[in-house]
Amino acid sequence: MNLSPSIRNPAVLALMLLHAAPAPTLVSAKSLRGQTPSSSSFQGQQQALSEADDDVTYITLGQDVDFPPFAFQKDGELTGVGKDIADGMSNLCPNLEIKVVQVDWEDCWTAADGGKLGQKVANGTLDGCMTYTHARGRRDELAEFSDAILKPNPAGLLTLLDEDGHPKVDGMDDLDGRTIIDVGGWAPTKDTFKYVYNKCTFEKYSENVNLVVATGDSPNDVAMEMLRRGEGDAIFIYANQAENFADCDENSAWNCSLWEDFGSGFAYVQSGQTSYTVNGTTLALSRPGSGIREKLRPCLQEFMQTKDYYEICKKYEITNQCFPNKYFSEDSVSRNPYQLETHEHTGDCSDGFCSCDVRAQVNPLLAEE
């Protein structure tokens, strides 16, 4: 190569080569994760990954698959409100990546010993678990919760109907001497029953109530089986659970046949009970002092103001449970029947929700008794 005298100077030549060199490629930990050593630049990429990892917070959250639409499975993949929000946050915030894995709810929170953290959350295998209600009592004492992603999910009392459509327990009952079944490991929890009150009489229930806990691999199914066998008078349960479980197919993780006669074989005689909660449905239940709440908070608050948050709420038809931002219309936040308090219901129990005077509605002659 013949060089002109002006560039034979070593300093000038070095400057030319510097300007001719390609600019370095900027990489992120997320873009490099999972790559294989397919090029000579792999070692450099791995070094960049190590350095970028220092700036990314990785969080692993668990969910089971029997809590539609919040946590379930579709076409073999984990899905639901919680999973979609976690994925949306990972896409929105470059310094946060949330991995969602399938676990048993028992790994997160268990009814054992009156209620405590599940083993995988307690020992740090999981950073936390998704879509748990921040309830009063032992949950509030023994767990730490992220900010809520949804408003409080009301509780209610579910009971059997006789052939005439009469509920075994009506809305006016103070439950004195009654046996109430609680769904083990799920909110509303047994220890929060004392915080709710009758939504017809507006009074606390009797202190002479026998509370029993349904446990097992599918405690919601176990509770319904107990009710049908006559082992309890009503189930203390989410006020939308029966409707969600009645919407069932062959791939569902619960016994569809137990829930298919909602509104004809069983119904709610209490609904709209939220005083068992501290806050609503959360993105993460975690160990106290773990710092997961603080790590999630900035990105979660930002995500809940986005159109993506609204689209998730719309997708799962829960816009009235979500915290509205500028993308919500007034019509999208109207209440569903399960969100109404019992005294707001009218008519019989055929829609799954009995009114306070349902016996008079079913048989007008009873109004004179």
Side-chain angles (χ1 to χ4, degrees):
M1 178 186 299
N2 294 321
L3 298 177
S4 67
S6 63
I7 58 173
R8 289 176 182 171
N9 186 305
V12 174
L13 180 60
L15 183 62
M16 291 178 62
L17 292 174
L18 178 62
H19 283 286
T25 301
L26 298 178
V27 295
S28 69
K30 293 184 182 181
S31 66
L32 292 175
R33 183 161 296 280
Q35 289 191 19
T36 56
S38 57
S39 69
S40 60
S41 63
F42 178 73
Q43 290 184 346
Q45 290 180 344
Q46 288 298 94
Q47 181 179 356
L49 172 61
S50 177
E51 294 172 355
D53 265 338
D54 294 338
D55 297 326
V56 177
T57 297
Y58 294 92
I59 294 176
T60 301
L61 300 178
Q63 70 159 75
D64 208 339
V65 293
D66 59 350
F67 189 25
F70 312 104
F72 62 107
Q73 196 172 49
K74 184 176 182 180
D75 299 328
E77 299 292 332
L78 295 180
T79 190
V81 177
K83 173 72 161 52
D84 284 9
I85 288 178
D87 290 346
M89 290 170 60
S90 294
N91 291 331
L92 176 67
C93 302
N95 294 328
L96 177 67
E97 184 166 322
I98 303 173
K99 179 182 179 181
V100 179
V101 297
Q102 183 177 347
V103 297
D104 294 332
W105 292 127
E106 281 280 307
D107 296 326
C108 305
W109 180 267
T110 173
D113 302 325
K116 64 181 182 180
L117 286 175
Q119 185 176 9
K120 288 187 177 180
V121 172
N123 66 18
T125 301
L126 296 170
D127 292 311
C129 287
M130 298 195 301
T131 66
Y132 272 79
T133 295
H134 187 172
R136 299 170 74 173
R138 290 182 67 81
R139 276 197 187 181
D140 188 45
E141 296 166 2
L142 301 179
E144 186 171 277
F145 292 86
S146 73
D147 297 330
I149 55 176
L150 302 171
K151 298 173 185 176
N153 198 1
L157 289 176
L158 195 65
T159 194
L160 297 178
L161 303 176
D162 65 21
E163 294 180 354
D164 297 321
H166 297 149
K168 181 176 182 178
V169 179
D170 66 40
M172 304 297 291
D173 203 310
D174 68 358
L175 305 182
D176 184 60
R178 299 284 195 180
T179 295
I180 304 301
I181 304 165
D182 179 70
V183 181
W186 290 63
T189 53
K190 175 183 176 182
D191 62 320
T192 62
F193 186 76
K194 62 187 177 184
Y195 298 115
V196 301
Y197 61 90
N198 188 302
K199 292 294 185 175
C200 292
T201 65
F202 303 100
E203 296 178 353
K204 288 284 188 179
Y205 293 111
S206 169
E207 294 183 2
N208 183 31
V209 177
N210 179 33
L211 288 163
V212 297
V213 179
T215 59
D217 292 338
S218 183
N220 288 281
D221 285 349
V222 173
M224 179 57 79
E225 290 169 346
M226 292 172 64
L227 182 69
R228 292 180 182 273
R229 290 195 301 262
E231 297 175 21
D233 298 293
I235 307 174
F236 185 44
I237 190 172
Y238 283 134
N240 61 351
Q241 195 78 308
E243 185 175 10
N244 289 337
F245 277 18
D247 184 11
C248 196
D249 59 42
E250 60 183 9
N251 297 315
S252 298
W254 58 92
N255 186 343
C256 299
S257 63
L258 290 172
W259 304 91
E260 61 189 7
D261 55 344
F262 179 50
S264 58
F266 64 94
Y268 286 93
V269 290
Q270 287 288 314
S271 61
Q273 297 174 323
T274 58
S275 54
Y276 75 95
T277 68
V278 175
N279 205 349
T281 302
T282 64
L283 185 65
L285 167 151
S286 58
R287 300 179 309 282
S290 64
I292 299 302
R293 174 176 56 202
E294 287 72 23
K295 292 175 181 178
L296 291 171
R297 176 170 284 160
C299 186
L300 178 57
Q301 291 181 345
E302 183 179 354
F303 182 78
M304 288 177 64
Q305 299 306 312
T306 66
K307 187 176 182 180
D308 285 342
Y309 174 72
Y310 164 72
E311 293 293 345
I312 291 170
C313 297
K314 180 181 177 182
K315 170 184 175 181
Y316 293 106
E317 300 181 353
I318 57 165
T319 52
N320 52 17
Q321 296 182 51
C322 295
F323 295 101
N325 58 36
K326 66 181 182 181
Y327 298 100
F328 288 70
S329 66
E330 291 185 9
D331 292 341
S332 68
V333 294
S334 59
R335 292 185 298 167
N336 283 336
Y338 75 89
Q339 294 172 308
L340 300 178
E341 296 185 357
T342 316
H343 64 89
E344 297 178 278
H345 290 291
T346 59
D348 58 19
C349 305
S350 59
D351 67 348
F353 297 90
C354 304
S355 61
C356 292
D357 59 348
V358 63
R359 290 179 61 83
Q361 297 287 341
V362 174
N363 184 353
L365 294 178
L366 293 174
E368 301 176 3
E369 294 182 357

